[in-house]
């Protein structure tokens, strides 16, 4: 089973890239005269371009293949990786980012957004493959963030 961002969410990076291009065009057309304003304009323009491409990479390239014994995943701008469920040392949930953070025994992390498809299957597989004490706090945080009992 493959977790990806839904098609509708793939329009977000396109809008972000257009916004970044508009910011660059505006910076070029209305280039300020004083040095401080030039520096600030350059920082804002550069940050918008970097953010747009980071977001694009995350949404277009992130895939998580769920299997009974392992997770295979590709993140933005990185090589595909495969980890066994047994390698998961901790699961946390971030209400700010609405994502589960899986920490592996080698220090690597995988963020699983609740926006990704097949979230129900992910949660079921996590509950089946991991000991309850590794994921229950994350599931409780998720439940509380989604309006469940706290």
């Amino acid at each position: 089973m493959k977790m990806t961002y839904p098609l509708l969410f793939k329009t977000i990076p396109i809008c972000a890239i257009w916004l970044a291009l508009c910011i660059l065009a505006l910076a070029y057309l209305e280039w300020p005269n004083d040095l401080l304003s030039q520096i600030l304009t350059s920082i804002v323009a550069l940050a918008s371009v970097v953010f747009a491409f980071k977001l694009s990479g995350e949404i277009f390239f992130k895939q998580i293949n769920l299997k009974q014994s392992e997770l295979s995943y590709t993140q933005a701008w990185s090589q595909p990786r495969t980890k066994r469920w047994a390698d998961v040392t901790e699961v946390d949930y971030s209400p700010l980012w609405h994502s589960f953070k899986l920490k592996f025994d080698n220090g690597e992390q995988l963020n699983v957004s609740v926006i990704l498809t097949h979230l129900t299957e992910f949660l079921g597989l996590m509950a089946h493959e991991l000991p309850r004490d590794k994921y229950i706090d994350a599931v409780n945080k998720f439940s509380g963030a989604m309006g469940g009992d706290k």
Side-chain angles (χ1 to χ4, degrees), residues 50-111:
V50 169
F51 175 73
F53 281 97
K54 171 96 172 99
L55 178 67
S56 299
E58 174 70 15
I59 290 178
F60 280 122
F61 301 122
K62 185 165 199 166
Q63 293 181 1
I64 303 171
N65 292 313
L66 301 172
K67 296 179 185 170
Q68 192 72 21
S69 60
E70 66 185 20
L71 296 159
S72 300
Y73 60 95
T74 304
Q75 298 188 97
W77 320 113
S78 70
Q79 295 293 321
R81 292 186 168 96
T82 300
K83 299 288 182 192
R84 294 178 310 133
W85 281 102
D87 296 335
V88 175
T89 58
E90 182 183 344
V91 180
D92 194 17
Y93 179 76
S94 170
L96 177 64
W97 295 107
H98 297 289
S99 66
F100 289 92
K101 182 183 290 187
L102 278 66
K103 296 178 184 176
F104 298 101
D105 56 5
N106 65 352
E108 291 182 26
Q109 298 181 60
L110 171 64
N111 291 320

Side-chain angles (χ1 to χ4, degrees), residues 15 23 30 33 38 49-50 73 78 93 98 101 105 121 123 134 136 142:
C15 295
I23 290 171
E30 295 292 328
N33 293 328
Q38 290 174 355
V49 170
V50 169
Y73 60 95
S78 70
Y93 179 76
H98 297 289
K101 182 183 290 187
D105 56 5
E121 289 84 352
L123 292 171
K134 285 189 182 180
I136 194 64
F142 170 65

